[in-house]
Amino acid sequence: GAVVSQHPSRVICKSGTSVKIECRSLDFQATTMFWYRQFPKQSLMLMATSNEGSKATYEQGVEKDKFLINHASLTLSTLTVTSAHPEDSSFYICSAALGQAIQETQYFGPGTRLLVL
Amino acid sequence: EDQVTQSPEALRLQEGESSSLNCSYTVSGLRGLFWYRQDPGKGPEFLFTLYSAGEEKEKERLKATLTKKESFLHITAPKPEDSATYLCAVQFYSGGYQKVTFGTGTKLQVIP
């Protein structure tokens, strides 16, 4: 089956530092990758959609300069949380899909838990 | 206002006791409704996509149905390993943009 990995699984950082999260599709080429964040006991919130080789499309209310997304290849997308603050602490989850539309089957990574002190 | 509501928030079942989870939505321009299973501390696992009213899909003990206002996830004779949070998500058009909204989930516990 389609496997998506994320690294790191957990990260603790100081306020003001930047954190990079990697999302890889291990056994398939993902045309599109999606980034979500999830707060405790809350829904997943779509942050952005990224297609290989092009700029990411951000959801309303998500700061592009704060959450930098790079989709360098068909198997790798990265999310960089710049100048992280405690309110950025959350569970970040990526997903990958074969097609370009969000209704395509998405395969989710295991998530990255970020704690900003 | 575009909304996705799941009920109940939590459900406790005895092993073998069938039940249904509900996902109701108030969006226009529905493109698709998705069901996922999420275990604690993990990413969601895709279960089903439904595109139009009347559509049904099955996988093992799970069956998903869709109407114009809601979707049901029926669980037949559940087992303890079915314990998880079940999420639904709706993809739709709003203001010329494609959006996806997740419900807050139903936490299912199946007791042996």
Side-chain angles (χ1 to χ4, degrees):
Chain A
V3 179
V4 177
S5 70
Q6 278 185 245
H7 178 79
S9 58
R10 184 183 295 264
V11 58
I12 301 173
C13 68
K14 292 182 179 180
S15 184
T17 60
S18 294
V19 175
K20 181 185 281 189
I21 303 170
E22 290 186 351
C23 176
R24 293 182 184 271
S25 57
L26 298 184
D27 53 359
F28 69 102
Q29 293 188 324
T31 304
T32 309
M33 287 185 170
F34 306 90
W35 286 96
Y36 297 82
R37 65 187 299 183
Q38 185 177 32
F39 293 104
K41 298 185 179 180
Q42 291 190 24
S43 303
L44 274 75
M45 290 179 53
L46 179 64
M47 299 174 66
T49 303
S50 73
N51 293 300
E52 183 261 342
S54 61
K55 289 184 179 179
T57 302
Y58 290 81
E59 295 298 300
Q60 288 181 325
V62 177
E63 298 176 59
K64 300 178 183 181
D65 297 330
K66 173 80 173 170
F67 299 99
L68 300 178
I69 292 173
N70 184 286
H71 195 157
S73 74
L74 286 172
T75 59
L76 174 64
S77 176
T78 60
L79 168 68
T80 301
V81 183
T82 61
S83 187
H85 291 287
E87 58 265 29
D88 298 323
S89 299
S90 188
F91 192 48
Y92 292 87
I93 309 174
C94 73
S95 70
L98 292 169
Q100 294 189 353
I102 202 167
Q103 65 259 39
E104 295 281 344
T105 300
Q106 294 183 51
Y107 300 95
F108 283 83
T112 296
R113 191 163 299 282
L114 171 63
L115 176 61
V116 185
L117 302 175
Chain B
E1 184 183 348
D2 299 316
Q3 277 195 324
V4 179
T5 305
Q6 288 189 249
S7 62
E9 286 187 17
L11 181 62
R12 201 173 180 197
L13 299 174
Q14 289 291 134
E15 183 173 2
E17 180 186 359
S18 301
S19 188
S20 295
L21 313 182
N22 178 266
C23 172
S24 63
Y25 59 93
T26 54
V27 304
S28 56
L30 178 74
R31 295 297 305 277
L33 186 142
F34 310 87
W35 281 99
Y36 296 91
R37 168 197 170 123
Q38 186 175 24
D39 293 302
K42 296 186 178 180
E45 175 188 344
F46 171 78
L47 294 174
F48 304 108
T49 306
L50 302 166
Y51 293 107
S52 56
E55 192 175 355
E56 297 183 353
K57 289 194 177 171
E58 285 188 72
K59 179 181 178 181
E60 296 179 354
R61 295 180 292 281
L62 300 175
K63 179 180 178 180
T65 61
L66 180 65
T67 72
K68 289 185 179 180
K69 294 182 179 180
E70 59 192 348
S71 176
F72 290 95
L73 183 66
H74 307 277
I75 302 178
T76 303
K79 297 182 178 181
E81 53 262 40
D82 295 322
S83 298
T85 295
Y86 291 84
L87 301 168
C88 77
V90 171
Q91 197 225 356
F92 59 99
Y93 277 112
S94 178
Y97 294 95
Q98 222 168 194
K99 294 186 177 181
V100 64
T101 298
F102 277 77
T104 52
T106 293
K107 187 174 183 179
L108 173 66
Q109 183 183 14
V110 182
I111 303 163

